[in-house]
Amino acid sequence: MTAEDGTDRPEGKVVALDALVIGAGPAGLMAAEELARAGRDVVLAEAKPSAGRKFLMAGKSGLNLTKDAPVDAFVAAYGDAADWLRPMLEEMGPEAVKTWAEGLGQPLFTGSSGRVFPEAMKASPLLRAWLGRIPATLRLGWRWTGWLGDAWRFETPEGPCFLAPRVVVLALGGASWRRLGSDGAWADWMAERGIEIAPFKPANMGFVVEWSDHMRPHFGAPVKAIRLITGEKSVRGEAVISARGIEGGGVYAVSAAVRDGAEFAFDLTPDLSKGEVAARLAKKPRKQTLSRYLGKALGLDPVKRALLQEWGRPLPQEQELARLIKHLPVRHQGPRPIDEAISTAGGIRETDVDDTLMMRAMPGVFVAGEMLDWEAPTGGYLITGCLATGRWAGLHAARWHG
């Protein structure tokens, strides 16, 4: 891939192009590759000074590319969007993603939970190999700012530029991690064309908790081996206590339901029934403090005991205390701000695109990645969803000749 900064583009001139992809994250890169593979002359415009910034950030803690799971179970994780995305995920699901990554020279391994990672445990080697393989022109620092008439308007390092592409794939991301490029500004430009998007909402995020002072010693501590309960659904996982609230993998797994109004509670003893907890509580020696006994008899570590006091005091007796330990309501003040979320829900609705991901109101303009109104949990689903929709949009955009 060749990077250019646009110095040869005179201000005000409308430049004709064959194929334009806007956004150089996983969805945009996949779309650009499919377009180029089909013989289209591709320009890939990226607002930031380098490509794949959010992708690289995701790889800092180990790049979870996908999850090794049967197709039906994998697709089901996309919730309300599962039927919509199924054709794309069946073609670019876990097995295809593994083949793709290995084709870029990245050996993989699968963890005990089924999550698939590069052996390098980071994104940079894969991204370098991928960028080197895509025969497209990469223009960095080119920020799309809407339209001037029918021309696509960009702010570039050398001033305004106006493009007239035959076909376009938009892969601008959602509205979280603004500093990495996903700011959701494109929603206003879509509104100019009469396209109403589903409002952005945080996804895979933590929740605000206004802790009392006695929780300060536990900031940064994990809450291990709990069951997180939202209505009739529950998942086993972990949470992390922070000065701002609660976060972590277990919280992210239930965050969409909690965000949308479901109750939220912790089961602090997921391996014991309520009856077993009550029976053990009934055996507490009179002279032993409750806190010490909770640790000894029920295995509640200091963090769990602190949470029980934080959200449950004054603590009730035996049967009621057992019920509280098994269903401790999480007193939170709502999701963390959208810009801190790992991903977002909302965006361009299924009804606004056709089966090829082309905008119904804008022939020749295709959409991929987090711009679309779908959400999925962490664990490899997000990146696979972006790759799958990017590939789908790129394949169909390659066939468009207007």
Side-chain angles (χ1 to χ4, degrees):
M1 182 174 289
T2 303
E4 297 185 6
D5 62 8
T7 56
D8 60 337
R9 305 305 189 199
E11 181 175 341
K13 181 180 178 181
V14 178
V15 180
L17 298 177
D18 180 24
L20 172 65
V21 178
I22 307 178
L29 290 170
M30 186 61 80
E33 184 166 32
E34 292 297 341
L35 280 159
R37 183 180 288 124
R40 304 299 292 258
D41 185 6
V42 183
V43 169
L44 176 57
E46 167 57 45
K48 292 297 181 179
S50 58
R53 290 198 162 194
K54 193 173 180 182
F55 187 63
L56 289 170
M57 178 63 74
K60 283 194 172 183
S61 58
L63 183 64
N64 185 189
L65 288 172
T66 192
K67 185 168 184 178
D68 193 358
V71 171
D72 286 347
F74 189 85
V75 172
Y78 293 81
D80 292 342
D83 289 343
W84 178 24
L85 299 181
R86 175 176 286 276
M88 307 167 213
L89 293 167
E90 287 180 340
E91 291 198 10
M92 193 69 188
E95 289 303 318
V97 169
K98 288 190 286 184
T99 300
W100 163 79
E102 289 168 345
L104 289 168
Q106 301 302 305
L108 307 174
F109 74 93
T110 302
S112 59
S113 64
R115 298 185 180 196
V116 178
F117 302 86
E119 289 183 1
M121 285 297 287
K122 54 185 178 180
S124 51
L126 187 151
L127 182 60
R128 282 196 299 270
W130 197 10
L131 289 170
R133 190 174 76 177
I134 301 174
T137 299
L138 176 61
R139 300 200 184 279
L140 299 172
W142 280 47
R143 180 176 176 79
W144 177 49
T145 57
W147 294 272
L148 182 64
D150 291 331
W152 295 72
R153 181 179 63 217
F154 288 82
E155 292 299 326
T156 80
E158 300 302 321
C161 183
F162 304 90
L163 304 180
R166 293 184 179 89
V167 66
V168 178
V169 176
L170 296 175
L172 290 153
S176 63
W177 294 76
R178 179 182 301 268
R179 64 188 176 87
L180 300 180
S182 298
D183 59 11
W186 53 266
D188 291 336
W189 307 323
M190 289 294 172
E192 293 176 7
R193 295 294 173 104
I195 300 167
E196 294 186 9
I197 70 164
F200 291 121
K201 297 184 289 187
N204 295 296
M205 67 291 176
F207 290 84
V208 177
V209 178
E210 296 176 357
W211 301 111
S212 63
D213 287 342
H214 98 282
M215 289 297 297
R216 290 182 181 276
H218 302 288
F219 289 169
V223 190
K224 297 182 178 181
I226 58 173
R227 186 165 292 280
L228 300 96
I229 304 165
T230 55
E232 296 181 357
K233 179 183 177 181
S234 68
V235 299
R236 184 156 180 159
E238 296 186 3
V240 176
I241 306 298
S242 75
R244 301 180 301 177
I246 53 171
E247 51 195 89
V251 176
Y252 304 150
V254 299
S255 60
V258 178
R259 176 200 66 206
D260 293 341
E263 67 163 344
F264 192 12
F266 286 174
D267 177 354
L268 300 179
T269 58
D271 295 323
L272 298 174
S273 69
K274 185 174 68 175
E276 289 172 323
V277 172
R280 294 188 186 189
L281 289 174
K283 295 177 182 178
K284 186 184 82 69
R286 290 185 179 180
K287 294 184 178 180
Q288 192 169 42
T289 65
L290 177 60
S291 179
R292 184 176 178 182
Y293 188 73
L294 290 173
K296 181 179 179 181
L298 297 179
L300 299 189
D301 61 24
V303 178
K304 289 183 178 179
R305 298 200 300 269
L307 286 175
L308 188 60
Q309 290 286 349
E310 180 75 3
W311 291 329
R313 65 184 175 213
L315 297 183
Q317 299 297 312
E318 296 180 5
Q319 290 289 338
E320 288 302 316
L321 180 56
R323 184 177 292 110
L324 188 64
I325 289 169
K326 295 295 293 179
H327 196 280
L328 178 65
V330 176
R331 297 178 183 172
H332 65 90
Q333 285 73 49
R336 294 295 306 164
I338 194 168
D339 195 47
E340 297 177 14
I342 293 174
S343 59
T344 52
I348 294 174
R349 306 173 197 266
E350 179 182 1
T351 52
D352 287 325
V353 295
D354 66 14
D355 291 343
T356 70
L357 294 182
M358 185 174 72
M359 299 282 294
R360 297 185 187 278
M362 300 175 66
V365 178
F366 297 75
V367 188
E370 281 195 75
M371 288 184 71
L372 297 166
D373 182 20
W374 59 272
E375 63 178 311
T378 57
Y381 300 100
L382 293 171
I383 290 179
T384 298
C386 288
L387 294 173
T389 56
R391 178 181 179 276
W392 191 265
L395 282 170
H396 290 91
R399 301 167 189 163
W400 174 265
H401 292 278

